Each structure stands twice: as structure tokens, then as C-alpha cells.
């Protein structure tokens, strides 16, 4: 057991922090002003992407599988602390071609794309030339239970025909977004078992019948790249656009989610660290009723509790990353559910405290806190609601307990009672 | 002791609910679409105001003081349940001329305006012809400790000259907003005691030097009427615009806050009831993993805990209203601090649960939840941060305890120990 | 609506406080030393009982039903603040013949006893000459779901024969305890509906086959009067000892619980007030790191939050008391479930804070805090576990919501989307 | 970074678990019955100690310093998982000569004893022949701020004379307890700085003037070995009994606390694991209202949240252990404060949930839960109250933040406002 980053990881962290200080932080205000003015800051991003790629900070998220692909693909345990640094500027992951949902799509395509799909869709994604989105959640059903998903993917001759409505399709408004991976019911007759009825297809966004209905605000925040409601009406794509095989939708989704959740969690840790930095700085600077806020014991408690919670959560996430690296997504399934809940709750808790220390300013857009808090609230649904993940953990624990129950008898100590 | 509303109050409640069903609810979607389109829904409001006034639902908030004023002014305990109903549609208070910050301003003017001020400013407010705002909070200092306020109100001949910067000045963008009441330092030399150095002046918004810098978003939400940042630069008003006397700023602010906080709290209760209604309805309708959400014990806990908390909070607020009615603002000071904290925390807690039951939809603008949650978060600062009010309660409690301490000896029961 | 105690109630409160100061508090240390030495302080109690009865403070808990009974029977709303005062000394209720479980037993007998049962059992209870206990909870099943109860009450000729095992039978070790009311299954064949299979019988404690197995500690605390495990083996009582009719066990239990829970809750409020008094007194007196504990903002928060919670809970309990008085036990069923949860949680929360302010001393028996905390923890089971009561509240709320759901449509404001 | 135990540590764990199953668990009921009967189970312990020592499971806690001492002294990171196993039976640490407060005393003597003190006191402790206690906390002052300690240690010729009163002196009633290490004020004139005025002396318990006043119950629980109140009245010991030098009391205390807190925390983790095991087993077995408790979503949440919290806390504690091993007590000071708070809070939280699943039985002594909960409550004071440790963490965090504050400017994004 060893809690230090390896020297190699420390080097990566130094390079990332250095890049952030030299290039990202100086661009932060410009990014926000462009976005606030309703303009996509794509030129800013393009120039930063060139810089990052030139410095070898590219595709860091993708554990090595095939040679000759662009980028520097690290183990999850090595990537995690870099995702933490990226988290401090929520828009910065794309600079390193490491942003959701493209990362998850690239992972799936990496594992399951046919050679043609590889060339047409994955290669330009790996190069950062195009963007993609992932259409899973539906407005009309509780999508947390993915068996509820209703969008139909119907085979019709050499095509699939897609009909349905999705929302929270992130990235669909990015000017370079070219395709969606769509999850839907391919087994209309419900002949297969419940978890073998869904499939995924690649749907180019310019296919007739695809309509981006609106950019859905999350806690009043409109993402530049969109969390979109998208309508699919009689959308027809060639059968070759099927990802994996028919009925493999759930299996694909599982493959997608392990590392993606690690990324989310580590970015969340980074955001919480930023919030703690800001909270402390504000507490040291502001005075009320004759003392600095930092001198009030309740504010000190908030600071200390944030530190306790962040450090614990980080270790927990890193352990899950190590488990994925060592034993694979499936073996880490319960651990990944666990960190998802921990990270989402951590964010709202730490951010809430930071906002309180900032007073009214914490509610405005002048600090990153309001956005991060909103994002944290959304994280309690993104990648599945907390309740679903708690259930996964509980069921695992109960299975374990069922085996151990017999050995617990010696721990009970009722008094000897004569008959 | 009696926990029933009087028959008169029940009649008022019925009239208000009836008006809401006939006129307000049918207008809700129109109001939101106008606002979302960036248009102030003033015509909609005007027509509803005419209806409300015609039905005698006007100026309900203002306990009777002088005859011959428009409106039906009720005791706080009678008004409270009506404010609860208004709370269900956050934009509806204005229909009854009962919206903050005008209500607080009308209360202050009612008590302290000179006859000239009365005619010029209060009368049209009572008639609903103009609107007003209140410029207190400043971006550069912890305004929770109002002795920090720095905006200067300097006497210069027959005028006062105002210089400073305010924010969270609610209502300044209402198309009928005509004046602000501004709090600032009038005792530049700091000769008076700390709580006698501030004054309030009436500043018409069209006075040269007044500039609305921006509409500050609260958790990304831009209010139609604005929560504005306002700059005052060399703003000159006649000395007759002074409210009360020089140095009376704190005393005026105190007079303003008691009933105003009751209103906020009761509207909050109404919003929590609405959230609970929506949470239950959603839980009954949505299914996941083979059961309705309403059948999950954790969702049941959220529902029950919300009911427990709402009912307790309502009683607590009503008791404070009764205390103001019976003993005055000053006697109810600690109670009003107490309900402020309770209501603000209640809102974020209940709304958070409701949002969780709604899934991703709870984050959007399609339901009132995201707005109400944001507003609840802001309530933890509006009318002063929770921490300041907890301090007020604690100090009161400690004062009480200091007197009682001696009588506690018999409760200690150390064993008899021989010397 | 009116939040003041009536002048009559205020008089009762003054008499009770006065009696407590003159007689109870001076006896507190003696009571504890007797108990700690393992001697039942029955003589002390007897002399205090005489005093209380002489002053007319007797059987205050029992709303008037029949004339010519000893004692001064008050409405629940009048009795509640007196129970609050009694709560400050957990042993003091018996002085006024107002202690559980005798109060509940007296209520049941009052309503359902035959004339013979009345004379034999209720009269001496009302006079305070004997004590009783109530045998409901069983160690082998989840008794929170009372349909699980297994003790059998079998008709055999002119007798009932009882077999089973109970625990948490409070008061069975009181030297004057003469009988238990035992709940068990009378419908062995399970022919009646699930809630009509249980009955209650009066079992004199000296009946052959009754054995007090042990005094069960609650959080290591052994009650002087016992929370006993009791075995019933072939216990035979005359059929005339049946309470009410066969199969009426559940109905009787319901009748018993309404006011009894109010009493518990109000005593709990009194205990929380005492804890808050002690917490404040300690915070004012102790110093650490150069300040009194009362000057730390986190300690202030604990004090203020305790006040906020206590005051809300008291109002909530009083409202339920008023509802029982006005509309009866059945109408108040959900409210009584609600206050039960609120009060039990309140106690552990407030006591926990008080203990923390007292430091290590709070863990000892030198203050009442450790006992009250333990008792509070037990309250989360006594009268049913919180979870059962939350379920009752949730189901009621969901029923209400089912009716209201249709009226909620106007609150949803999705944007207009063209087809 | 690596989250696996080394093969060596895994071997130790297997040996310890094996020993526990073969020898400890079968003795658990006997231990409890002896203790409940008021007899010290010293013979049982002696025979288990012989077995443990014979198997080489002895003095595991003491990182190697000098050769030729009995026992197998491990690094803290290797010892921690063994302490976790010991935690499952709170009385078992002594079997391995690893119980507080002897461990802390041995650590201090190991570092600071003179050769004579080594031979007289440390050797028999290392052999398990005698026991010791540590007299620090005082009833009359807030001992969390150790500068408050008042017991005087006055030089008088060749002796020190000790006067004062201590409590929570654990182990003083162990039949083999031979001496206390006493902390007191040696600098009566307060000439040295506040942290250089206290000293520690070794006081044989049979010295005239030492009186064990009582065994203080913790939440009504009387420890077999005692948490004693001890009076020192004119107690005279030779000057050679001074530990370290005069005025070194605080420095000695610091040296003592690092690893000791790790031990406490790891035992706590073990206790929480046991509670989770029991909670799951009970939830699987009990039925209420037609379902097993394990099928209720709220119970599932409690189980899952316990797992999330335990795993995070364990990693946090292990990281602190690794830090002590690698960088020393002083470097790990803040981390040790952090884990102390985390572990103590964890215990009350997890135990509380387990008790709730067990129903009334959870309150009794029939399961280990009531004891463990009480102990967890006490842990919030043992080794210092949580509040003191949160303060340490907060101050460290604020120091760090003070340096970083300047670099935070780019994160603020106020809109551009024209002058």
C-alpha cells in the first residue's frame, strides 16, 4: 500500500499545472465573455488545443489499446489526478480532447467499432476534428431504469429507422458535433430478456428527421455546447451504423460508464478543491462584526469538514481507478457506483459552504461557485441518480452479508437465563 | 391556545384561492413565456391587478394605520396564510400590491414619511401606480454587518449627495420603478455611535448619476424586475428626501424588517407546499425497477419528513406573526430571526427532495422547482445570512440562561464521595 | 388562532413549577442516590405523592369522563405544558400519578373496563395504590408490525391461557406493580382479518407461570422500575379478565396510544429545554483557548438551532393535543405519528449537542444528559420505530396528493415547441 | 500509488483472523459473563495472552526501535489492519499486549525513559506482566485545552509532590495496574511559556495519597478496568520518576498521540465493519409489513451509505499511518487530527443505523451495538474533542490558503462593466 503518486504521474501533474497556468487560466475570462455573449468560443479552444497537442497533452484519458493512435493514453490511476486539475476550469477538458461525452464515445468505439466505423467516426474524434454526443435519457420515462427507454430502433431492410425523443444530450450544439450515438429498443416484440432488447446506433446529426428541439437549461444555466432535447422522427441510417450487435445496448453502456464516472468524479474533486481555496481566501479577507470570517468557529468547521471530505473522496476515487486498471470495468462496477454517489454529494456540500462564505456574491456568476454548485446538483442525476447507485452498493453488501451471517453468532451476548 | 384560523381568515383564504384558480393559474404559462422571451409581462400584470383590486384583494399586507388609504389591511396573522397562497406563484404578489420590496418601503413610508413624501411617493405606491426599490447591500463589504456599509450620503447645502455602489437592488428594472430608498453613511466623521451613523434617502431613479449597471443573476436566473447592481455617482437629491432623521438608518431598517420577513417566510411555506404536492404527484406517476417511486421507503421518508418540517415551520411563523401583531416588531425581533433561518433552510431541503424525485426534469425550467430551489438558496442571504440570525437567537438564549443558571444546581447528581 | 396558554393553564403551570421547586428538585439527589444504591425510592415517592394529591395535582392526564374519580383531569392541551414540566425530572410523573405505562392502562380501563374490572384494577390505580405494566413487545419478532406478535391467549373453558415471551415491559419491577395487560393472539386459527386476531387480558403478576426473567438495560441503563423481559408459561386467568372483546387488541392499542404519545412528546420537550438550559450554563462558564465556549460561533449555532427546533416541535405537539381534544384520537392519528418522530429525533439531537458542550462530564451520570440521551435513543423505538410513523405520514400525504394531482398542471411551464 | 496490502501484511491479517476465530470469538461470551458478574476476567485473559505470545502475536503496535525486546513490532501501516481486526472485540487488544493506554505509555517510555525507568516500568509492560494508566483529564477544567490542567507537580528536595484530581483515567482498576503517568503543572510560577509549564511523572498506584475515588460510567457503562476518578493528595515520588525533563509535558503528550490515534481509528473501523455485518444480517432476517427489512429502500440506503463512509475512512486512516511511518508524528499531526474526527463521527453514525435496524434489541446488551455506540460517543472526546481537531485542520488549511490566495484571481469572472 502506497499513497504517493509515482514520479511519472507527478511529472504529468506538473506539466498539466504548468500548462494551465501558462495557457488556460489567462484564457478563462475570455472564455466566459464569449459564452456570456452567446458566441461559441471555438477559436479560443482551437488555439489552445493546438498548444496542448503540441505539448503532448492529448487523449490522456484513453488507456492504451492500439498503437499509432494520436495521444498519450494513460492508466486511469495516472489520468485521475490530471482530470482533477482539468476540473478546476470546467471548459478545459476539451483542450486536451478529454471532454465528456466524447471520451465515453471514443472508449466505446475503441472497443466495439467496425473498421469502417473506426475510420469514419473514431479517427476524427481522436484527432479532435469533430465532436459527438450520446442520446440516452428520455423525458417521458424514468431513464435511471434504462429498461424504461422507449425510443425505437427498427430494422427496415438495409437500414435502421429511429423514432423517439431524448434530452440531456450533451454537446449536440457544439459547432463541430457530427453524430450522436443513440440508445433505443431494437427488440420491439420484447422477445429477448429485458437487458437484451436495446441497441445503439450511430446517427449523423444531419440525417433527415433529427431535430434539436431546444437547449435545456440546468438550474437556469444554458451550456454553450448544449444539454439538448433532440427529436428523432423516422430517422433512417444504414444498418452498418449499428454499434456492436443488436441487443447489446446495455452491455455497451456498461463498458462506457466505468472510466467515464472516474473522470467525472476526479473533475469534481478538482472543483471542490477550487471551492475550498476560494472559501478560505474569502474567509481570510472578509470582516463582519469585528472579526475576519476565518476567525469564526463555524466557518472553521466548514473549512475543516470540507478538507476531511475531499481527501477521503479522492482516495476512494483513486482506489476505484486502480481497480479498473487492475481488474477491469466489471470488477469495479460496485466501486464505481460508490464513488459516483460520494463525489456528487461532496460537490453540493462543499460548494454550498463556499457560497455561504461568499455571501450574496456566491449566488452570482462573478465566481465559479454558482455554476459548480448547479453542476453538482445535476451530478446527482448525471450517470444515474444517487438512489440507483446506492441500491447497487446495498445489494452487493447484502450478498456479502448473506454468506457471513452464520459467523456472527459469537458476537451476541444475551445473558444466561435459566429455563 | 387555538390552532384554527378564524372564520374571517378562512373566508379570506377561500377568496384568495378562488381568485388564484380563476385568474392566476390560467395566466402562469403566459407569464413565463413573456419573461422567457425577455419581455416584461406588464400588461398581463396590469389586467390582473385591476381584477384583484376590484375584488378587494389589495394592500392586504399593511396592518391598518390610517383610514382613507386604498386596500384592505390585515393583521399579520391574518395576512400570513394569504401570503402562503401567493407564494405558490412567485410572480403573483404584485397582483395584490403585496410584493417585496415595495411592501417594506410602503411600511417604512407609512410610519416615517413627511406629508410631502406621503403624497409624492407613498400614495402612488399604495395605488399600485409606481414601483420602488431598496438599495442596501453593497458588493465590496459584508453587508450582513450593516455597519460595514460605505455608500456616503453627504449633506451639501440644501441637498444630499450620494456616492457608492449597491447590488441585489430588487425591482430596479421594473418598467414602473420610480425611486430607490438608499441606505448610506451620513456621519462621515464617525462621531455618533456605530448604529447612529447611517441614514436613508429617497432617490428618484432618473436623478443624474444613478446608473443601473447590470441585472445580477442569482444561480443563473435573471429576474424580470432585476436584482440590480446600481451605481450612485455624485447623485444629488433635496434634503427633504431624507427619510426620518439623520442617523436613523438602522432604526428605519429594523422597523422595515419584521413583517417583511414574515411575508417571505409564509411565501416560502407556500412554495414548499407546492413542492410537496409536485413531489407526491410525480412519485405516484413514475415507475422505476418495477415499482412506483411512491412505493420506495426512501421516497416515502422524504415525503413524510417534508410534511413534518413544513407543518412545524408554519406554526413557528404564525406564532411570530401573532407576536408582531400583539407586541410589536421590537418584541418579536428574536422570533423573526428564528423563522427567517427556519424558512430558508426548509426551502432548500424540501425543494432538493422534490427535485430528486423529478429526476433530470427537476433541473430544467419545465417545473417551478429549479427556480424555487435557487430562490431558497438565495433566501439564506436575503434579509441577512442565516449565521447572523442564529447569532441573534443564541445571544438571546444565553442572556436568558445567564439568569437561570443558578437554579440548575439540583439537576446535577454527582455521587457522594467521602473526603 | 392564538398561541398563548389560557389563564387557567398558566395557573396550572405556575402551581406545577412551584411544586417542583418546593418539593421535587430538593429531592432529586436523594432519588438518584437511592436508585444508584439499588434501593427503590418508594418512601420518597410516597411522601411526595401525598403532597401532590393534597395540593390537587393528581391524575392530571386523564380528560374528564366520569365524575367522582380522584384527580383533576385536564384536556390534553392543558395537560401538555404540565407534562413538559414533569419531563425535567424523569422520575417525577409518578408523584402526580401521571407516569407511563400506568397512564395508558388507566385510559384503556377508563374506556373499556367492565364494572368489576373497574373496581378491581382501575380504582386502585387512580388512587395510586398499585401500579401496572403493559406487555406488548416481543423479543422474537419485529413488534413494530404488531401483526407479528405471537404470544398466544387461548380460551380454555372459563379461562384464558397465556404462553409467550415479552420484553420492554416497563414498570414490572415497581414494588407495587400488581398486574400486566398482555397483548396476544386469541384467534389461533387465523380466521379473522389480520387486525382482528389479537386480544388483551389482565394478568395479575402473581399468577403462576409469570416470570420476570430480567431487567433489560437500555443503553446500559437499568431502570429502577424495570424494562423487563417477562415469560408467560401456561398462565391461566379467568375469562372475565379479557379487556373489551376478543379480537379487539388492535382497536384497544390505538385508543391507548394517542394521548400517551402526546405525554411522551411533551416530557421530551421539557427534557430538551433542560438540556438547552444546561448547555447554555456550561457554555457561559467553561473556557478553552482563551474564550468562553459561549463565544464560539459553532457553540452559538448549536444553541440557536436547539431553540429553533424545540419551539417548532412544541407547537407541533400542542397542535396535535388540540386536535385530539377537538376531534378525537382517530382523527389525530397521523398528527400523533408525526409528533412522535419529531420529538424522538429532537431529543437525541439536542442532547447530543449539550453533551458535546459538557465535554467528558456529559458522558457520566453526574448530569442528567447521559440518561436523557439514552432515553431519547430509545424513544426512536418506544411507541413504534420512527420508520413506521414516517410511513403513516407518507401514506396520508400520498392519499391527499392523489386527489390534488390534476390541479397541478398549470404549474408546469415547458416551453412552447413547434411540432 | 497502490491500494493493496503487501503479501506480508496479508499474512499477518490471516494469522490474526485465524487466531481470533480459534481463540477469541469462542471466549467472547465468557468474557462478557465474567464482566457482567463484576469479576475481572483476568484468568481468561492470561491464558489467551500466553497463546498469542506463543504464536508471535505480541507487541505488534510498537514500530521497531531497539532489539532484544519482546514482540513483533510492525510499521503503523502494517499494524493498522490488525488493529481493525482487534476492534471487533473491544477487550481483545490486551491479548496481544496492544491495548490503550498501555500502548501509549510504552511508546513514551520507549522514547524517553531513563535506563532505570526502562528496567523498572517498561520491561514488565512489554512482557505484559503489569499494566499502567495515564492521568491527564481533569474534572474541573476544559482539558481539551491542556494549558488548563491544574494538578500540581511541585519539586520538594529530592521528590516531586503531586496534588490534584483526574478523571477518565482508563485502566486504573485493572488488577495488574501498577503505575500512572501523571501530567501536571511543574512551573508553578508560570515563568515559562504556556506550553513549557507542564511535566509528567511516574506515580506508582500504591504511593500514599493516591486514591481511586470511583469508576466513572460512560453512558451508564462501567468498564471492567475502570475509567476512574483519581485523587492525588500530597503524593510524593522520587525526582527520578520524572519522565523526560521538566516542562516537557506537552512535547511528551504529542509524541504519545500520533500512533495511538491511528490505533483507535483502526479499531473503530473494525467496529463499524462489525456493525455493518450485523445490520445486514438482521435486515436479511427480520420481516415487517410483508417484506424483509433488507427490501426497504431506506434500509438499503443506510447499508450503502455505511459502506461508502467506512471505505473512505479506512483509506484516510491508512494514509495517515503511512505518513507517520514515512515522515514522523509531527509531519502527520494535521492528518491525525483529521482521522480522529472522521472515525469518531463514523462510529456513532454507522452504529446508530445498525441499532435502528435491530429495533429495541439494539438498545440492550445482547448485541455489541449499544456498547459500541456509547464508545463511539465517547470517542468524540477521547484524544480530544472533535472541535479541537477541526480547528487544527482549519488553521492548517487557512495557512495554505493564505499563500495560494493571489493565484485565484483568474477564477473570478465579473462581467466587463464600462466606467
Amino acid at each position: 500500500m502506497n499513497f504517493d503518486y509515482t514520479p511519472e504521474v507527478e511529472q504529468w501533474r506538473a506539466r498539466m499545472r504548468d500548462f494551465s497556468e501558462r495557457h488556460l487560466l489567462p484564457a478563462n475570462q475570455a472564455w466566459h465573455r464569449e459564452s456570456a455573449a452567446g458566441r461559441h468560443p471555438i477559436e479560443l479552444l482551437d488555439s489552445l488545443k493546438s498548444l496542448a497537442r503540441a505539448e503532448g497533452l492529448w487523449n490522456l484519458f484513453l488507456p492504451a489499446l492500439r498503437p499509432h493512435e494520436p495521444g498519450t493514453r494513460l492508466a486511469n490511476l495516472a489520468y485521475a489526478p490530471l482530470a482533477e486539475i482539468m476540473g478546476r476550469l470546467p471548459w478545459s477538458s476539451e483542450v486536451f480532447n478529454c471532454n465528456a461525452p466524447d471520451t465515453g464515445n471514443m472508449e466505446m468505439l475503441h472497443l466495439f467499432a467496425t473498421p469502417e466505423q473506426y475510420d469514419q467516426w473514431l479517427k476524427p474524434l481522436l484527432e479532435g476534428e469533430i465532436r459527438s454526443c450520446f442520446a440516452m435519457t428520455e423525458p417521458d420515462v424514468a431513464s435511471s431504469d434504462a429498461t424504461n427507454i422507449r425510443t425505437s430502433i427498427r430494422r427496415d431492410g438495409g437500414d435502421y429507422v429511429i423514432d423517439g425523443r431524448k434530452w440531456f444530450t450533451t454537446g449536440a450544439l457544439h459547432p463541430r458535433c457530427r453524430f450522436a450515438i443513440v440508445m433505443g429498443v431494437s427488440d420491439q416484440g420484447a422477445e429477448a430478456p429485458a437487458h437484451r432488447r436495446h441497441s445503439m446506433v450511430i446517427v449523423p446529426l444531419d440525417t433527415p428527421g433529427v431535430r434539436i428541439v431546444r437547449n435545456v437549461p440546468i438550474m437556469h444555466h444554458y451550456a454553450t455546447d448544449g444539454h439538448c432535447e433532440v427529436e428523432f422522427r423516422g430517422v433512417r441510417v444504414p444498418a452498418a451504423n449499428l454499434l456492436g450487435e443488436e441487443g447489446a445496448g446495455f452491455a455497451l453502456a456498461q463498458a462506457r460508464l466505468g472510466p467515464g464516472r472516474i473522470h467525472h468524479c476526479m473533475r469534481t474533486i478538482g472543483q471542490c478543491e477550487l471551492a475550498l481555496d476560494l472559501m478560505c481566501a474569502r474567509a481570510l479577507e472578509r470582516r463582519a462584526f469585528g472579526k475576519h470570517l476565518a476567525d469564526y468557529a463555524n466557518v472553521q468547521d466548514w473549512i475543516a469538514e470540507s478538507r476531511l471530505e475531499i481527501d477521503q473522496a479522492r482516495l476512494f476515487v483513486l482506489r476505484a481507478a486502480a481497480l479498473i486498471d487492475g481488474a477491469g470495468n466489471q470488477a469495479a462496477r460496485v466501486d464505481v457506483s460508490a464513488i459516483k454517489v460520494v463525489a456528487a454529494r461532496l460537490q453540493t456540500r462543499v460548494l454550498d459552504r463556499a457560497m455561504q462564505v461568499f455571501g450574496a456574491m456566491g449566488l452570482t456568476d462573478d465566481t465559479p461557485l454558482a455554476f459548480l454548485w448547479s453542476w453538482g446538483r445535476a451530478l446527482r442525476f448525471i450517470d444515474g441518480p444517487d438512489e440507483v447507485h446506492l441500491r447497487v452498493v446495498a445489494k452487493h453488501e447484502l450478498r456479502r452479508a448473506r454468506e457471513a451471517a452464520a459467523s456472527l453468532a459469537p458476537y451476541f451476548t444475551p445473558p444466561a437465563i435459566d429455563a
Side-chain angles (χ1 to χ4, degrees), chain A:
Chain A
M1 204 170 283
N2 180 337
F3 295 92
D4 298 323
Y5 292 122
T6 63
E8 288 74 21
V9 170
E10 287 291 10
Q11 266 189 343
W12 280 108
R13 292 177 73 211
R15 284 172 62 186
M16 186 62 96
R17 274 198 302 251
D18 177 61
F19 187 88
S20 176
E21 274 162 40
R22 276 183 296 123
H23 300 303
L24 299 180
L25 284 172
N28 190 37
Q29 305 215 353
W31 188 91
H32 275 91
R33 284 188 191 154
E34 284 293 289
S35 300
R39 290 187 297 267
H40 195 285
I42 192 163
E43 282 152 40
L44 179 65
L45 283 171
D46 279 349
S47 71
L48 291 168
K49 281 164 79 167
S50 302
L51 286 166
R53 191 162 178 179
E55 298 202 9
L57 299 167
W58 192 255
N59 287 342
L60 302 146
F61 73 98
L62 196 66
L65 205 69
R66 303 183 204 179
H68 309 310
E69 288 169 343
T72 322
R73 290 144 306 142
L74 303 171
N76 283 290
L77 187 55
Y79 176 63
L82 311 186
E84 181 178 338
I85 296 169
M86 291 182 210
R88 293 174 73 99
L89 289 173
W91 55 269
S92 76
S93 299
E94 189 180 352
V95 170
F96 310 102
N97 214 40
C98 290
N99 58 298
D102 293 294
T103 45
N105 288 347
M106 288 190 257
E107 276 162 5
M108 277 205 303
L109 291 168
H110 211 240
L111 293 167
F112 302 107
T114 61
E116 293 71 27
Q117 288 170 346
Y118 189 100
D119 287 342
Q120 187 174 5
W121 304 113
L122 180 54
K123 270 194 74 173
L125 275 178
L126 287 170
E127 302 283 350
E129 290 165 3
I130 65 169
R131 303 283 73 179
S132 62
C133 57
F134 185 63
M136 173 101 171
T137 305
E138 299 185 1
D140 299 327
V141 296
S143 309
S144 56
D145 175 357
T147 62
N148 283 334
I149 284 176
R150 289 200 205 144
T151 290
S152 78
I153 298 179
R154 190 170 42 81
R155 182 69 183 246
D156 184 42
D159 293 342
Y160 283 106
V161 182
I162 300 121
D163 282 280
R165 180 176 287 263
K166 300 284 186 179
W167 69 352
F168 291 89
T169 299
T170 299
L173 285 178
H174 190 292
R176 298 242 171 76
C177 190
R178 289 295 168 267
F179 71 95
I181 296 179
V182 180
M183 169 98 156
V185 181
S186 49
D187 177 16
Q188 317 294 335
E191 291 162 19
H195 287 81
R196 297 284 307 159
R197 294 178 193 159
H198 292 73
S199 300
M200 288 192 193
V201 289
I202 295 168
V203 179
L205 286 192
D206 57 3
T207 314
V210 176
R211 186 167 71 106
I212 294 178
V213 172
R214 57 167 173 156
N215 183 6
V216 180
I218 293 186
M219 305 300 298
H220 311 304
H221 183 271
Y222 290 87
T224 312
D225 290 349
H227 300 293
C228 298
E229 184 166 341
V230 187
E231 187 190 71
F232 298 86
R233 196 181 286 184
V235 174
R236 187 171 286 269
V237 298
N241 281 23
L242 181 72
L243 198 56
E245 53 189 27
E246 260 195 36
F250 273 84
L252 290 161
Q254 277 316 112
R256 186 183 197 280
L257 286 175
R261 283 176 184 153
I262 301 274
H263 306 170
H264 261 323
C265 290
M266 285 305 297
R267 283 192 293 260
T268 297
I269 304 282
Q271 289 157 8
C272 292
E273 284 283 358
L274 174 62
L276 180 52
D277 285 348
L278 292 167
M279 172 172 18
C280 288
R282 180 76 165 193
L284 288 165
E285 177 250 327
R286 276 271 152 148
R287 293 178 69 85
F289 302 101
K291 289 198 287 195
H292 282 105
L293 301 187
D295 293 328
Y296 284 94
N298 49 2
V299 174
Q300 289 176 3
D301 282 359
W302 302 344
I303 290 169
E305 283 162 5
S306 299
R307 168 54 59 217
L308 266 50
E309 293 169 3
I310 293 173
D311 277 17
Q312 287 184 87
R314 182 188 288 107
L315 290 167
F316 202 37
V317 177
L318 291 172
R319 192 184 68 165
L323 189 59
I324 292 191
D325 289 335
N329 281 348
Q330 185 55 27
R333 199 178 57 92
V334 177
D335 293 68
V336 168
S337 277
I339 61 168
K340 192 270 162 190
V341 175
V342 165
R345 292 180 169 186
L346 176 72
Q347 175 130 336
T348 43
R349 219 160 43 231
V350 173
L351 264 294
D352 188 86
R353 292 181 192 126
M355 280 161 59
Q356 199 67 12
V357 172
F358 265 80
M361 193 192 198
L363 305 170
T364 71
D365 287 351
D366 296 6
T367 82
L369 300 174
F371 170 74
L372 293 177
W373 189 93
S374 304
W375 186 242
R377 188 66 190 79
L379 276 179
R380 290 175 49 203
F381 296 114
I382 292 172
D383 289 345
D386 290 359
E387 288 67 31
V388 171
H389 292 289
L390 288 170
R391 218 169 104 103
V392 168
V393 174
K395 298 211 154 193
H396 177 77
E397 209 57 35
L398 286 163
R399 253 191 316 274
R400 195 184 59 70
R402 199 168 277 120
E403 292 158 25
S407 70
L408 296 174
Y411 291 104
F412 289 85
T413 53
I417 296 173
D418 304 330

